[in-house]
């Protein structure tokens, strides 16, 4: 386990604009290392025709951030993950920012972020392959969030049903075609 179960690790995106901007500026500013408590870790992965280097920069010197964003309880650290991916002659770079309540080492934080994205990517892949989520044209108001909740609930119900080598996509289709299959799925949950 990379983080304690009570700790949080959250990716910052545009929906947290001022928090995201504050964290980004913190990592981009040039300050003497003696003034900022920052630790670093790096990992290199090779496979599938690519080389990926990930560097984790983690700062616990964030009293200023706690003051600016008091709504984030137990905020312990901020994290920048710099990824450089080399595929053939093409190199891409990306920096993602996170907040966490954890004070683990930078190497453990790097592993936790990688695990988090692996789980997120796996869930997205299953939803896309089994429910055609990427092809959905539902865009109006709260409908995308609502249908997303329904898809997640359906996926969780299907996963609870014992099946003999039957894919999630096939179980979903069978439940739509045969009420007895749907009844079996719902009976497992309720």
């Amino acid at each position: 386990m990379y983080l304690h179960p009570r700790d949080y690790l959250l990716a910052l995106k545009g929906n947290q604009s001022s928090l995201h901007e504050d964290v980004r500026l913190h990592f981009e500013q040039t300050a003497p290392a003696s003034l900022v408590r920052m630790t670093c870790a790096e990992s290199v992965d090779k496979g599938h025709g690519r080389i990926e280097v990930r560097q984790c920069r983690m700062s616990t010197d964030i009293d200023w951030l706690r003051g600016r964003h008091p709504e984030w309880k137990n905020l312990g650290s901020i994290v920048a993950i710099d990824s450089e991916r080399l595929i053939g002659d093409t190199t891409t770079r990306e920096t993602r920012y996170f907040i966490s309540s954890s004070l683990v080492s930078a190497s453990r934080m790097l592993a936790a972020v990688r695990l988090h994205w692996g789980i997120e990517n796996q869930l997205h892949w299953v939803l896309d392959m089994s429910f055609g989520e990427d092809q959905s044209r539902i865009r109006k108001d709260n409908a995308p969030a609502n249908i997303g909740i329904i898809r997640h609930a359906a996926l969780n119900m299907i996963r609870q049903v014992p099946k003999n080598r039957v894919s999630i996509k096939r179980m979903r289709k069978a439940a739509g075609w045969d009420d007895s299959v749907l009844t079996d799925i719902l009976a497992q949950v309720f």
Side-chain angles (χ1 to χ4, degrees):
M1 185 176 307
Y2 301 106
L3 299 180
H4 191 279
R6 288 188 299 250
D7 283 327
Y8 60 82
L9 173 65
L10 301 171
L12 295 177
K13 298 180 182 177
N15 60 350
Q16 291 288 336
S17 59
S18 65
L19 180 60
H20 182 270
E21 188 67 11
D22 288 344
V23 171
R24 184 185 65 77
L25 287 173
H26 176 80
F27 284 107
E28 288 181 0
Q29 72 184 4
T30 55
S34 60
L35 298 178
V36 178
R37 292 185 304 248
M38 192 174 309
T39 57
C40 297
E42 186 175 276
S43 71
V44 178
D45 291 316
K46 298 177 187 177
H48 306 288
R50 67 176 178 253
I51 299 171
E52 189 161 2
V53 179
R54 291 179 200 84
Q55 182 185 45
C56 173
R57 295 176 287 148
M58 184 174 137
S59 178
T60 56
D61 188 19
I62 57 169
D63 289 337
W64 60 274
L65 188 64
R66 287 186 202 103
R68 286 182 51 86
H69 300 278
E71 67 275 16
W72 290 100
K73 303 296 180 205
N74 304 319
L75 186 59
S77 59
I78 56 177
V79 178
I81 303 291
D82 303 305
S83 299
E84 183 176 294
R85 180 180 290 174
L86 176 65
I87 303 173
D89 293 335
T90 306
T91 300
T92 57
R93 291 179 180 84
E94 174 187 33
T95 300
R96 297 183 315 259
Y97 301 99
F98 299 82
I99 59 172
S100 180
S101 59
S102 180
L103 297 173
V104 299
S105 68
S107 60
R108 285 183 64 187
M109 190 64 75
L110 181 59
V113 167
R114 182 111 191 262
L115 179 65
H116 168 77
W117 282 104
I119 292 168
E120 193 74 26
N121 287 339
Q122 182 181 10
L123 174 62
H124 176 74
W125 185 85
V126 169
L127 287 171
D128 187 33
M129 292 296 106
S130 301
F131 290 85
E133 191 173 60
D134 285 351
Q135 284 74 38
S136 175
R137 298 294 169 236
I138 299 169
R139 302 271 188 261
K140 191 168 181 175
D141 301 326
N142 293 328
N146 291 340
I147 203 70
I149 291 168
I150 292 167
R151 284 187 188 117
H152 279 91
L155 176 61
N156 290 335
M157 286 183 218
I158 291 170
R159 283 183 167 165
Q160 290 182 17
V161 175
K163 47 197 166 291
N164 296 329
R165 302 175 60 90
V166 176
S167 71
I168 290 171
K169 186 173 187 173
R170 184 170 284 175
M171 285 291 290
R172 182 185 64 82
K173 286 183 175 184
W177 292 331
D178 186 349
D179 286 343
S180 66
V181 174
L182 178 61
T183 302
D184 289 344
I185 291 171
L186 293 174
Q188 291 290 325
V189 178
F190 299 106

